[in-house]
Amino acid sequence: MICHHDHARQAAVDRHQLLRPHVSCRIGHDRPADGHPPRCDQPFGGTPGGDTHDGEVLGETHLPATIDIVDLHSIEQTLAELGEPRYRAGQVWRWTAQGAPDYASMTDLPARLRDLLAEQVPFSTLSVADEAVARDGTIKALFRTHDGRPVEAVLMRYRDGRRSLCLSSQSGCPLTCAFCATGGMRFGRNLTASEILDQALHFRRLEPVDHAVFMGMGEPLINLDNVLAACRRLPEIGISNRRTAVSTVGWIPGIERLRDDPMPVRLALSLHAADPALRSELMPVNDRYPLDEVIAACRSYYERKRRMVFVEYVMLAGVNDSHIQAVQLTELLEPRMFKVNLIPYNPTDSPYRGSSPKAIEAFRAELERRGISATVRLTRGREIEAACGQLAARARAASAV
Ligand code: SAH
């Protein structure tokens, strides 16, 4: 927060602070794999368009891939129109990335310019529609885009000080996983890079953040251009690429592109069943990208990146949580390449029920016994319906009444 009583001195202090990583959360140590920090004179680079190739494959060409009316590019454009020097955009971005609450607080910008920006460029591409705080400190936000699309993001606070964001890559989801609240929603559209970053910035304005997972709404690998453009800027917000994970249903073209991209972003695979028929039942996308090909793509990711792939496995009572299914899972995965995260199911309107803690523990023990490293994910924010798509679904239900 900035005090206004002594602008000149305060500005100097703030500038100094902006140049250093925030010590308390040890951010900013990792660089993109190419070793070059992002250039500050082009702070908003990235592809505004969505990954239309993948969209075309899905047969959604009638939907706009992205709508990029108000976003970070507008700041660059507005500054250029005002005849401001190029470095101004870098200044605005640095303030924003460090959690500045508005243009007014950017004290090394001329006051006239701050006023003009406030008039002409919305500070965020998202407005907050709802926010819920759980007893464990988890905060879930429901945003709306300028065209009224719902977007969810969650801040998870851990005892060890980690502050992890769960980000959305799409409004709604084109895939229809049977147990997922987002899967039951209508697909809206890909989010722009700015709309993804603005989720992170919303929480960065509350406190420093250091981890991110693309496990909110949507399939990030169907919107990979914008997800990667956002990942390129996340380190400046405090989240290194190594501390960023992209979670996929197994969208093979996206896994291959992520493998070939120089950023050291982690891959997480939503597996949920080692048996192809059961997986197709839970995740119809399995018919399109069959399990063995998905696992082969993950292996090639591992070989290239030398980073373990995290396998997510939602524990559904009587569906995928038996002893034999644990054994099947160990037969599918190589211990050196894959690590399993067992996810307690967050109940939704679906007919599925979560496995009991005892069943989850037995499953985990069997994986470990057979050499597969497995953890049970901490349940965060259950009472605020922090699972994928749940807040938006609730808002929709409420507005339908
Ligand atoms: N489309 C991507 C990312 C979004 S979902 C993917 O599927 O990986 C992120 C994770 O949350 C996935 O593993 C998904 O299966 C899981 N998930 C969805 N609904 C859930 C629920 N109700 N409870 C627990 N996990 C859920």
Side-chain angles (χ1 to χ4, degrees):
M1 224 23 93
I2 289 134
C3 305
H4 290 278
H5 61 271
D6 183 351
H7 280 296
R9 191 183 59 81
Q10 191 66 45
V13 171
D14 290 331
R15 247 199 318 272
H16 180 62
Q17 285 172 346
L18 284 171
L19 294 174
R20 294 198 335 252
H22 200 288
V23 180
S24 67
C25 63
R26 295 194 187 83
I27 63 167
H29 295 307
D30 295 336
R31 289 283 181 224
D34 63 8
H36 299 296
R39 286 174 48 192
C40 284
D41 58 346
Q42 290 176 340
F44 310 136
T47 321
D51 194 341
T52 43
H53 296 299
D54 287 337
E56 275 158 24
V57 178
L58 266 179
E60 281 134 15
T61 43
H62 58 289
L63 292 163
T66 57
I67 300 175
D68 228 357
I69 297 173
V70 277
D71 72 354
L72 295 171
H73 295 273
S74 326
I75 295 179
E76 272 185 340
Q77 235 169 41
T78 308
L79 288 167
E81 280 162 21
L82 293 169
E84 289 290 332
R86 287 184 67 96
Y87 65 82
R88 290 278 185 235
Q91 285 176 300
V92 173
W93 167 248
R94 281 194 296 277
W95 279 105
T96 308
Q98 297 284 334
D102 49 27
Y103 295 113
S105 59
M106 302 180 180
T107 47
D108 58 354
L109 257 58
R112 170 194 53 83
L113 182 58
R114 288 182 252 158
D115 291 345
L116 280 172
L117 284 174
E119 277 165 27
Q120 297 186 16
V121 188
F123 193 58
S124 174
T125 56
L126 303 172
S127 53
V128 181
D130 194 1
E131 202 154 32
V133 184
R135 275 188 299 279
D136 62 18
T138 301
I139 304 180
K140 177 155 182 165
L142 171 65
F143 305 97
R144 297 256 169 225
T145 60
H146 67 88
D147 56 337
R149 312 281 185 172
V151 175
E152 297 173 0
V154 180
L155 165 68
M156 288 159 293
R157 296 169 158 140
Y158 294 93
R159 285 220 186 97
D160 63 4
R162 249 182 328 140
R163 295 290 179 267
S164 187
L165 300 180
C166 179
L167 303 175
S168 293
S169 54
Q170 301 180 311
S171 175
C173 185
L175 305 172
T176 50
C177 300
F179 52 85
C180 176
T182 309
M185 288 173 67
R186 208 171 63 86
F187 175 57
R189 63 169 170 83
N190 283 342
L191 299 180
T192 65
S194 301
E195 287 165 340
I196 294 169
L197 284 173
D198 276 327
Q199 299 167 50
L201 288 168
H202 171 77
F203 292 113
R204 177 63 189 85
R205 290 193 270 279
L206 285 182
E207 62 189 22
V209 287
D210 52 14
H211 287 74
V213 290
F214 281 88
M215 292 185 191
M217 294 167 118
E219 169 52 42
L221 297 191
I222 296 181
N223 186 21
L224 191 52
D225 284 340
N226 291 325
V227 166
L228 290 178
C231 287
R232 250 171 243 125
R233 308 238 61 96
L234 282 176
E236 291 151 293
I237 298 176
I239 302 165
S240 70
N241 291 150
R242 291 195 164 274
R243 290 173 170 181
T244 302
V246 170
S247 175
T248 179
V249 293
W251 197 261
I252 292 176
I255 296 175
E256 291 171 348
R257 278 192 58 202
L258 202 59
R259 172 197 67 197
D260 297 338
D261 190 278
M263 276 188 282
V265 167
R266 184 177 300 281
L267 175 66
L269 171 69
S270 292
L271 188 67
H272 308 323
D275 169 61
L278 175 59
R279 190 165 191 265
S280 286
E281 214 175 280
L282 296 174
M283 308 174 72
V285 70
N286 192 60
D287 292 336
R288 179 185 186 123
Y289 295 120
L291 189 53
D292 50 348
E293 292 174 31
V294 171
I295 295 293
C298 290
R299 287 188 189 115
S300 79
Y301 171 94
Y302 173 83
E303 296 297 353
R304 180 77 56 87
K305 299 275 198 196
R306 293 283 151 190
R307 299 205 74 196
M308 285 180 107
V309 176
F310 285 0
V311 166
E312 291 153 273
Y313 195 99
V314 169
M315 297 295 291
L316 303 170
V319 175
N320 66 355
D321 63 349
S322 73
H323 178 263
I324 183 77
Q325 286 163 324
V327 176
Q328 274 177 354
L329 188 55
T330 63
E331 285 164 358
L332 188 67
L333 306 174
E334 290 87 346
R336 72 190 166 91
M337 296 188 194
F338 297 95
K339 182 181 177 305
V340 175
N341 251 313
L342 300 175
I343 311 176
Y345 185 55
N346 242 318
T348 69
D349 289 341
S350 83
Y352 296 101
R353 284 177 306 110
S355 308
S356 67
K358 211 174 135 203
I360 298 176
E361 180 46 32
F363 200 92
R364 190 197 66 77
E366 187 57 33
L367 296 183
E368 289 277 351
R369 208 173 68 75
R370 291 170 180 265
I372 293 284
S373 161
T375 51
V376 179
R377 182 171 298 165
L378 286 176
T379 309
R380 311 294 301 179
R382 183 171 283 238
E383 81 272 23
I384 57 167
E385 302 180 316
C388 187
Q390 286 187 302
L391 194 63
R394 194 183 67 191
R396 210 176 51 246
S399 66
V401 179

